[in-house]
Every structure is written in structure tokens, then in C-alpha cells.
Amino acid sequence: MGEQGRGRKPNFKKDGGRPKRRRVSPQKSKVHPEKSELIRLNKYLANSGVASRREADKLIEAGLVTVNGKVVTTLGSKVRPTDDVRFEGERLRREKKVYILLNKPKDFITTVDDPRGRKTVMDLIQGACDERVYPVGRLDRMTTGLLLLTNDGEMAKKLLHPSHGVRKLYHVVLDRKLTPEDKAKIEAGLTLEDGKVEVDEVSFIKDAPHNEVGLKIHLGKNRIVRRIFDHLGYKVIRLDRVAFGSLTKRNLRRGHWRMLNRQEIANLRMIG
């Protein structure tokens, strides 16, 4: 006789006989939530628009930064987004990134503040944003053309470092025609007082006299374009930066500025 006939109850489940599944709780991350939010202090300063990471390290070592009321001078220190981080007594907050492209005119100094009271590029972008922005590189007072200003310290550092090869294109007007011999010297590379200078390209401007030259270069040395031609005995009458990386002056009048669009920002972030 079968088991049922012996008085045993059939071993059926109420759900039709299918075994119940054991619920497995998802494993919780072993990383403490507060630790995952830690950020290096120099990066925090860079994100706040104070300076690049390298420059921020110098500010930290100089004792100009406090965290929760205490001076921090140890490089590599980390903070949380909720910490009270101050630079020279002013509390910092992680700002949204701002990128402003300016077509600089003559007679403006590329600096945030001039102790002699001269006009600066900051005067030209007054009211553009609430964030504190800084020029990426320099254009001397009499040089015109493209200048990028941003509070993105990491981006600025990358754009200025010669290893990333960000090219700048200049329209140069000389006091006399550039000779083929001197053009060849520039193409071969010149040795100036601070070392050898190599340009990416030098060419004559189409449909213009040969005292107008296009110079493409990725070096960021001070007054490098003027010094190249000074070395060969030429005087630079006008100097205009017409391109900076993938950015151009198209539809941007002298003395005016505009915000970069998303695609332009994405292109800059792809550098390096």
C-alpha cells in the first residue's frame, strides 16, 4: 500500500508544490560612505577656482588654507564636501565650472588684478558670471585675440602644459617682409636665451604681403612670438591670436566674450 494509504499526509506545498525561494539580501558595500566622499585638498581648491593643483599645493604649504578652523600644511591631506575649507579666511565652495572665451583688445593686462590700476581683462567680462575665473595663460598688453578664462584649474593646467600640444595660431604683422632665409630659420628652430624654440608651422598669409605671417606654436613661453622675430631683427607691429586649440574667433567681435558650448568644452576635455 502506498504512503497515503498508511495515513501519512501528502507532502504538498500550498503554492502547488514548488519549493520556496530563499531571499538573498544584497551585499552592502564595505566602503564607508564618508570615506568615499573624501577628496584631496589641492583638488578641492582647484575645483573651487582658486588655482591649479600644483599651485594649490604651494598655497597649502604656505599655511594659507584652513580646514574646520585649523591650518593644514600637509600635502596629500583630504577633506569632505561638508568641511569648512577656507583660503585666506574666505570659505570656499565647489563651484560649477565656467568657461569664457574673450576676444581681447589692445591695452588690457592679462591679470586678475593690477596694482598699478591699469585696465585688465577682468574689466571686459564684468557680470559674466558669479564664479571667480582666471585667465588661461597670458597675452601681453598690446597682443589681441583669443583668451580663455575659467575656474577649472585642472583644465587650465592641461591646456598650458606643452606635453599636451595645444596649438595656438597667431597672425603676425612685421615691420618688413619676412625673407625666405629667415622663414627657413624659424622652421628649423631657433635658440633663444632660454633655450631652443621650435614652431609647429610658419606660413605667409594668403593674398597678403609677405610681412604678414601665420605662426602656429604649442610652447607657452613668455612673449615667445615677439621674441622669435626680435631675434631675427624684425619688429612686430601687430600680434593677434586667432585660434587656441579648437577654439576660433568666429563671430566673436573684438572686446566681446561668450560662454563655451557643451561641444567645445567636451573637445577641450578630450585633450591629453
Side-chain angles (χ1 to χ4, degrees):
M1 195 173 181
E3 290 182 353
Q4 293 185 36
R6 296 192 185 102
R8 294 184 182 181
K9 293 182 179 180
N11 190 22
F12 290 161
K13 307 290 183 182
K14 290 182 179 180
D15 60 358
R18 290 175 293 180
K20 292 183 178 179
R21 295 181 180 177
R22 181 182 297 176
R23 290 185 179 180
V24 179
S25 299
Q27 290 186 338
K28 295 182 179 180
S29 172
K30 296 181 180 179
V31 180
H32 195 282
E34 290 185 352
K35 289 184 178 180
S36 65
E37 295 179 354
L38 289 174
I39 181 175
R40 283 184 176 270
L41 182 55
N42 62 354
K43 185 176 181 181
Y44 190 99
L45 295 176
N47 289 345
S48 299
V50 172
S52 67
R53 286 198 198 184
R54 181 178 297 179
E55 292 299 319
D57 281 337
K58 296 177 182 177
L59 300 177
I60 294 168
E61 289 182 310
L64 300 176
V65 180
T66 62
V67 179
N68 299 328
K70 296 181 180 180
V71 176
V72 176
T73 58
T74 304
L75 298 183
S77 298
K78 294 184 178 181
V79 296
R80 296 184 178 90
T82 54
D83 285 336
D84 183 344
V85 181
R86 295 175 183 259
F87 169 61
E88 293 186 326
E90 182 179 349
R91 186 166 186 177
L92 304 178
R93 289 176 176 80
R94 297 170 71 180
E95 301 175 321
K96 71 173 184 177
K97 298 295 186 290
V98 178
Y99 307 88
I100 299 173
L101 187 63
L102 170 70
N103 188 350
K104 176 189 169 299
K106 291 181 180 180
D107 292 321
F108 284 82
I109 308 297
T110 306
T111 185
V112 174
D113 182 51
D114 182 61
R116 295 166 56 183
R118 293 172 296 180
K119 296 181 293 185
T120 76
V121 292
M122 308 308 291
D123 297 325
L124 296 167
I125 62 164
Q126 266 190 334
C129 62
D130 294 327
E131 292 76 14
R132 295 174 301 174
V133 295
Y134 300 84
V136 178
R138 300 176 65 90
L139 291 178
D140 63 43
R141 187 170 65 90
M142 299 307 293
T143 299
T144 61
L146 289 183
L147 182 68
L148 182 65
L149 300 100
T150 183
N151 59 348
D152 189 339
E154 288 300 296
M155 173 77 77
K157 177 182 175 182
K158 187 164 63 171
L159 292 174
L160 291 175
H161 201 284
S163 65
H164 294 298
V166 179
R167 292 183 172 88
K168 283 82 72 175
L169 178 61
Y170 293 89
H171 181 177
V172 189
V173 179
L174 303 171
D175 60 337
R176 56 191 174 90
K177 292 181 179 179
L178 179 66
T179 67
E181 294 77 16
D182 286 337
K183 180 174 178 290
K185 290 178 183 177
I186 296 173
E187 291 171 331
L190 299 173
T191 301
L192 304 182
E193 61 273 14
D194 54 350
K196 189 168 184 179
V197 174
E198 294 181 345
V199 305
D200 300 302
E201 184 181 344
V202 57
S203 59
F204 293 113
I205 303 296
K206 186 178 180 180
D207 299 326
H210 281 192
N211 69 319
E212 295 192 33
V213 179
L215 187 74
K216 188 181 293 184
I217 191 168
H218 65 269
L219 291 177
K221 294 182 178 181
N222 187 40
R223 296 175 58 87
I224 187 62
V225 177
R226 292 184 185 275
R227 289 195 292 125
I228 286 173
F229 291 102
D230 286 346
H231 180 78
L232 296 171
Y234 296 86
K235 182 179 179 181
V236 174
I237 304 300
R238 289 199 306 272
L239 182 58
D240 185 39
R241 183 194 279 173
V242 297
F244 182 79
S246 57
L247 304 173
T248 69
K249 296 196 306 177
R250 184 178 181 184
N251 298 326
L252 187 60
R253 290 184 295 164
R254 187 87 72 216
H256 288 242
W257 59 268
R258 66 173 178 82
M259 295 289 184
L260 296 192
N261 59 44
R262 290 183 180 181
Q263 186 58 57
E264 289 170 328
I265 296 170
N267 291 341
L268 293 180
R269 286 177 175 160
M270 289 173 63
I271 293 173

